Amino acid sequence: MRLERREGYPAYWIDGTKLAAGLPMVVLREGSNKIQWQGESGDLAVGGRALDGAGGEVQLVNPVRLGVGIYSTSTEFPHPGCWRLTATMGPGSLDAVVYVFPK
């Protein structure tokens, strides 16, 4: 993950296959996190599960399409810990393990 400006958006990027997640802050926190998704044309689907067995699911809140292949979202993590974050958009996919810090 490195800080880079893509499509005019400065963020720390997690790259998948033809899909990337841009985090304006280098860390994810319990609760709501802004994430910009950039990929190819298609609808965005995001999911995730806690790897510690604590339960809960990643939720998208108010996803906004900013252009072809670009979405801005609030992405909600219900508790801290390690999470497997997955997403698809058109032919693109992202599968990453991320750490979510307490508030």
Side-chain angles (χ1 to χ4, degrees), residues 2-13 22-25 34 36 38:
R2 68 176 189 216
L3 180 60
E4 188 176 328
R5 181 179 292 273
R6 297 185 186 178
E7 299 293 329
Y9 187 72
Y12 295 89
W13 292 93
L23 312 172
M25 304 298 290
K34 181 179 172 106
Q36 187 175 102
Q38 294 185 6

Side-chain angles (χ1 to χ4, degrees), residues 23-78:
L23 312 172
M25 304 298 290
V26 72
V27 299
L28 294 168
R29 297 239 178 243
E30 173 184 13
S32 184
N33 296 268
K34 181 179 172 106
I35 299 179
Q36 187 175 102
W37 301 89
Q38 294 185 6
E40 296 185 9
S41 180
D43 292 328
L44 175 66
V46 175
R49 64 180 176 86
L51 295 180
D52 62 3
E57 295 181 13
V58 171
Q59 300 287 324
L60 282 184
V61 179
N62 299 323
V64 176
R65 185 185 299 243
L66 300 176
V68 175
I70 302 174
Y71 283 85
S72 179
T73 66
S74 288
T75 305
E76 185 90 20
F77 292 89

Side-chain angles (χ1 to χ4, degrees), residues 74-95:
S74 288
T75 305
E76 185 90 20
F77 292 89
H79 58 81
C82 285
W83 288 80
R84 178 167 300 281
L85 180 64
T86 58
T88 59
M89 185 191 315
S93 65
L94 182 138
D95 185 358

